[in-house]
Amino acid sequence: MSDGLVRLLDGNTFVVSEETGDIDASPTIPSGLFSFDTRFLSKWILSINGERVSPLTVEEIEYFENRFVVVPTMPTPLADVSVSAIRDRFIGGSFTERLTLVNHEPKPVELRIRIDVASDFADLFEIKDVRNKRGRYHIRVGGGCLRLGYQREKFCRETLISSTAPAQIDQQGLTYDVRLGPHDQWSTDLHVQALGQNGRDLRESLQGKRGRVRKQMRQDLDDWLAAAPRLTCDSPTLARTYRRSLADLAALRFMPLTAGGHALPAAGLPWFMAIFGRDSIFTSIQALPFTPDLAATTLRLLALLQGVVLDDFREEEPGKILHEIRYGETTGFEEQPHSPYFGSADSTPLYVILLDEYERWTGDAATVRLLERSARAALRWIDEYGDIMGDGYVWYQRRNERTGLENQCWKDSWDAISFRDGRLPGLPRATCELQGYAYDAKIRGARLAREFWHDPAYADRLEREAAELKERFNRDFWVTDGEYYALALDGEGHQVDALSSNIGHLLWSGIVEETRAARIAEHLLGPRLFSGWGVRTLATGQSRYNPIGYHVGTVWPFDNAFIAWGLRRYGFHREAGRIAEGIIDAAGYFDGRLPEAFGGYERELTRYPVLYPTACSPQAWSTGTPLLLLRTMLGMEPRGEHLVTRPAVPPGMGRIELLDIPGRWGRAGALGRAHRERH
């Protein structure tokens, strides 16, 4: 299943093109060559003798390497093809394309080969919101290069294009007049660099490292895959999805200068190739049993960028963990607050959860002690700034009314939080999962305080506050006539009573009373929420339900992974397995790469998962989904110095074996078979 776009990426430098390899971006389509939130190529079009090309095949060799085989567009379908072109494309910080022309005729041919080039230097926010540029463009030809540039005051970006074969270069592109002998071929390497201030390579100046050559990229991927646990299983779909997930995690690794050469996951291509607090934390939790270094970098970097002052524009508060950070023009000129922006209410409690989970898996007590101040500040934020109403709940209300997010939970689109009749609640809002995260953060913070910070009084206080929060939550959020938890409370304390997938996050946080867990599981796997592929974000029958609405009816793989994990926590093994099986089945229709979201249509109606129109792919927490599902199916949990497994593999999955799982125990293995679930 394809959306007709081809992706190539290395961290937050990436290319999105058509299946011909061409880039012909409109102002609102995120295709092109991007780096650090700026588009450096908006046009890259190949023509042969004045004809644009048509695709024959597209091969994604690895996430950083593609091959396109194309031919000139023929006047009639039955016309013989006399010449074809191969476009071998690679990205390793900068962008390289080897263009090869092949003559299929027994006689010489004369070819005019043309690459039309342009750059609008659009900021990603400008593409989404269609804004006019305020700087000036320039184009220069000289020294065998084409230089496209844009400058607005001190903000400068340039695209430098060169070729190994001699070319006629003008301000719109490069032309080659080539004579090919019978069955002969010709090639050139085209090299594109993204430059920043003072003509320096942008990645080198902002990340402190040069781009990598193809051999280095391949070796890095081989080493990354070799270090991960080895999976053997009966399901070809699961095997393909696992390998794809690990490779996509490698592709999404982002190394900002402040991370000291270490990587954390960028959120998703194309819109969110940046540091996101929430997304990086969730992905790090998912990936802990497979690549714990991601969590270590995420924890350290987010601590370094933690809020220290009150700033309404950026919505910064002392102790708060950032929402996202950007490097583009609109951020530089404070047209957007992302330098960084702190508009999320969940990143801060999630930070404490990740720190505890990281230590449980790795035994890295030194990091827990190193980050004590940051964790305490995050816990303090929950009570001092998260509790806007003074009632013990975590609320949100944007202080940046012009460009801040209205909804600051993971469902952050404008209409994501609603009553069952479709009305939107007033602000502030306290969504249910925020209270679960706060509860979990206090429980985990208490463990850290008692075992590592040598502060038993603080631990006792946190546990007491968590117990009070759980009691209060189960009283105030329980929708009696529906027997589920409300999506949120509004500013007047009314229950926002839509039935949503958010209730599944309450299970993995542990805030649900045991006597109510079975009813929550029934809702999650019932026909209103469960599509057959996964749990919908909003139940059918709710006024705003839309199977292809961003947060109001689609299925989000990451959401389902955490719901399944929560179901297992409360002992609902078969229900967790149904979700895992549905999501892995869906992955098979996407060649193993789960998108950000797909349609919430009934499985029997469409018979295949329907892609959400503008879903990010790859997206970090969707990439992490199969990893958390494996942990859930195999029942893997750290217990002191040991890895404990309680397999509950769903019917149809067969045998699953995962070996060399890294952790405080060294390397361990886990084995599960489908028949065990029937006992």
Side-chain angles (χ1 to χ4, degrees):
M1 186 180 297
S2 171
D3 58 4
L5 298 176
V6 182
R7 299 158 175 86
L8 197 69
L9 70 155
D10 175 29
N12 75 339
T13 301
F14 62 94
V15 178
V16 180
S17 72
E18 301 170 6
E19 292 180 329
T20 60
D22 283 346
I23 296 167
D24 191 8
S26 75
T28 58
I29 301 298
S31 57
L33 166 64
F34 293 83
S35 188
F36 287 89
D37 305 310
T38 297
R39 178 157 57 192
F40 283 83
L41 281 178
S42 53
K43 179 183 286 187
W44 184 260
I45 297 175
L46 170 65
S47 60
I48 302 171
N49 289 340
E51 297 290 339
R52 289 190 61 173
V53 295
S54 299
L56 294 182
T57 62
V58 182
E59 180 185 6
E60 182 181 320
I61 300 169
E62 290 296 352
Y63 65 81
F64 51 82
E65 187 175 10
N66 288 338
R67 170 172 288 179
F68 306 81
V69 180
V70 297
V71 295
T73 303
M74 296 291 105
T76 64
L78 299 178
D80 288 334
V81 175
S82 61
V83 64
S84 61
I86 301 169
R87 311 176 79 169
D88 286 307
R89 186 167 287 180
F90 166 76
I91 194 165
S94 57
F95 168 57
T96 300
E97 179 171 311
R98 168 161 287 186
L99 176 62
T100 302
L101 273 291
V102 181
N103 178 17
H104 304 300
E105 294 288 323
K107 59 185 180 182
V109 295
E110 303 284 343
L111 300 176
R112 169 155 284 199
I113 304 159
R114 173 78 178 173
I115 302 286
D116 286 302
V117 176
S119 176
D120 58 4
F121 294 98
D123 186 297
L124 269 169
F125 285 104
E126 293 174 323
I127 297 171
K128 294 173 74 173
D129 299 335
V130 194
R131 304 180 188 186
N132 294 323
K133 302 292 283 183
R134 299 185 184 182
R136 294 197 295 182
Y137 294 92
H138 61 263
I139 302 175
R140 300 188 182 99
V141 177
C145 298
L146 174 59
R147 189 182 292 267
L148 312 175
Y150 173 81
Q151 185 155 5
R152 178 182 173 190
E153 298 179 20
K154 293 182 179 180
F155 182 88
C156 178
R157 297 290 184 264
E158 286 190 320
T159 305
L160 182 64
I161 304 163
S162 60
S163 168
T164 56
Q168 303 166 42
I169 303 177
D170 57 54
Q171 292 193 345
Q172 284 76 46
L174 299 85
T175 302
Y176 306 88
D177 289 313
V178 176
R179 177 182 172 83
L180 278 180
H183 302 292
D184 199 1
Q185 64 183 48
W186 168 93
S187 66
T188 185
D189 288 342
L190 293 146
H191 189 60
V192 183
Q193 287 182 278
L195 306 179
Q197 253 69 7
N198 303 317
R200 292 185 60 196
D201 181 274
L202 190 62
R203 172 172 284 203
E204 185 178 355
S205 62
L206 291 179
Q207 287 190 325
K209 70 184 189 70
R210 296 178 181 273
R212 295 175 291 173
V213 300
R214 196 170 316 200
K215 184 177 180 181
Q216 291 173 315
M217 297 281 285
R218 287 174 176 164
Q219 186 60 54
D220 175 75
L221 178 59
D222 289 344
D223 293 345
W224 173 265
L225 295 173
R230 292 181 290 115
L231 174 70
T232 57
C233 59
D234 292 341
S235 167
T237 300
L238 177 58
R240 183 170 67 252
T241 301
Y242 179 66
R243 202 273 182 191
R244 168 74 85 167
S245 290
L246 291 175
D248 282 346
L249 267 183
L252 289 164
R253 286 174 300 169
F254 176 47
M255 300 179 188
L257 188 59
T258 47
H262 299 285
L264 73 165
L269 187 153
W271 299 114
F272 307 120
M273 295 302 291
I275 301 168
F276 275 70
R278 174 194 304 126
D279 299 58
S280 294
I281 291 171
F282 272 127
T283 306
S284 295
I285 292 172
Q286 292 170 319
L288 257 177
F290 302 86
T291 174
D293 287 349
L294 288 179
T297 306
T298 297
L299 287 164
R300 293 189 181 107
L301 181 65
L302 294 180
L304 186 64
L305 298 171
Q306 191 171 22
V308 293
V309 299
L310 289 171
D311 182 334
D312 286 348
F313 178 63
R314 293 174 179 81
E315 307 207 41
E316 180 179 356
E317 294 162 341
K320 199 174 188 182
I321 297 297
L322 66 83
H323 174 57
E324 69 178 293
I325 185 168
R326 298 283 189 164
Y327 298 91
E329 178 184 353
T330 59
T331 298
F333 288 91
E334 295 196 343
E335 294 161 10
Q336 296 288 341
H338 300 79
S339 60
Y341 177 55
F342 289 83
S344 64
D346 50 8
S347 299
T348 308
L350 287 170
Y351 179 85
V352 181
I353 292 169
L354 175 60
L355 181 61
D356 176 72
E357 192 70 9
Y358 171 73
E359 191 286 326
R360 291 177 67 238
W361 271 94
T362 65
D364 184 359
T367 293
V368 172
R369 295 188 182 102
L370 176 69
L371 299 176
E372 176 183 354
R373 180 178 295 181
S374 295
R376 283 179 179 265
L379 288 162
R380 190 161 52 249
W381 177 90
I382 292 172
D383 297 326
E384 292 187 7
Y385 297 99
D387 186 7
I388 296 172
M389 304 296 286
D391 58 2
Y393 293 130
V394 176
W395 298 78
Y396 61 81
Q397 179 170 8
R398 65 178 175 181
R399 302 206 312 277
N400 178 344
E401 291 288 343
R402 186 170 63 89
T403 53
L405 288 169
E406 181 172 341
N407 280 314
Q408 299 189 359
C409 52
W410 85 259
K411 294 179 179 176
D412 56 7
S413 53
W414 69 275
D415 63 343
I417 309 302
S418 69
F419 292 91
R420 68 174 75 163
D421 63 8
R423 289 178 296 121
L424 299 180
L427 292 165
R429 296 168 186 165
T431 58
C432 64
E433 82 284 356
L434 289 177
Q435 319 319 316
Y437 302 158
Y439 168 81
D440 200 12
K442 287 176 181 286
I443 292 293
R444 291 173 181 266
R447 187 186 82 90
L448 298 178
R450 184 170 286 115
E451 296 185 17
F452 301 100
W453 304 337
H454 309 297
D455 193 344
Y458 184 43
D460 291 344
R461 193 190 99 196
L462 289 172
E463 288 174 341
R464 183 174 63 253
E465 291 171 352
E468 292 169 355
L469 173 58
K470 184 172 184 175
E471 181 181 3
R472 185 169 59 249
F473 173 82
N474 278 277
R475 179 192 69 220
D476 295 343
F477 276 76
W478 187 250
V479 179
T480 305
D481 67 351
E483 295 188 287
Y484 59 85
Y485 293 99
L487 173 54
L489 299 182
D490 69 9
E492 296 180 356
H494 300 141
Q495 292 180 344
V496 182
D497 57 357
L499 176 60
S500 70
S501 67
N502 298 53
I503 61 176
H505 287 244
L506 302 174
L507 293 173
W508 75 265
S509 75
I511 201 172
V512 174
E513 287 184 353
E514 292 285 347
T515 56
R516 291 173 172 173
R519 193 71 184 100
I520 297 304
E522 289 174 15
H523 281 298
L524 291 167
L525 276 298
R528 290 191 291 170
L529 277 172
F530 192 66
S531 72
W533 301 109
V535 179
R536 302 178 177 96
T537 44
L538 189 66
T540 61
Q542 313 302 286
S543 181
R544 287 189 179 271
Y545 169 74
N546 179 345
I548 50 172
Y550 193 53
H551 288 129
V552 291
T554 50
V555 173
W556 285 59
F558 113 88
D559 191 24
N560 278 261
F562 280 92
I563 290 170
W565 192 30
L567 286 164
R568 281 230 57 176
R569 173 172 181 160
Y570 278 81
F572 298 102
H573 309 312
R574 296 191 181 190
E575 290 82 356
R578 282 186 66 196
I579 291 174
E581 197 165 20
I583 293 294
I584 296 300
D585 284 350
Y589 289 86
F590 299 111
D591 296 323
R593 174 181 281 168
L594 284 163
E596 177 183 22
F598 56 86
Y601 299 100
E602 283 291 334
R603 184 167 180 166
E604 292 182 358
L605 177 65
T606 61
R607 293 180 290 185
Y608 57 85
V610 176
L611 183 66
Y612 178 76
T614 58
C616 288
S617 181
Q619 195 215 28
W621 58 19
S622 290
T623 291
T625 288
L627 308 183
L628 184 54
L629 291 177
L630 275 169
R631 175 179 175 177
T632 298
M633 290 186 288
L634 294 172
M636 301 190 303
E637 290 297 329
R639 293 287 183 268
E641 299 302 313
H642 302 283
L643 176 65
V644 175
T645 64
R646 295 180 298 119
V649 179
M653 280 289 181
R655 179 177 178 272
I656 299 175
E657 184 177 29
L658 196 65
L659 299 176
D660 295 330
I661 303 163
R664 61 198 305 159
W665 43 82
R667 293 270 178 170
L671 170 66
R673 293 182 176 87
H675 70 83
R676 292 189 178 185
E677 187 180 324
R678 298 168 191 156
H679 296 325

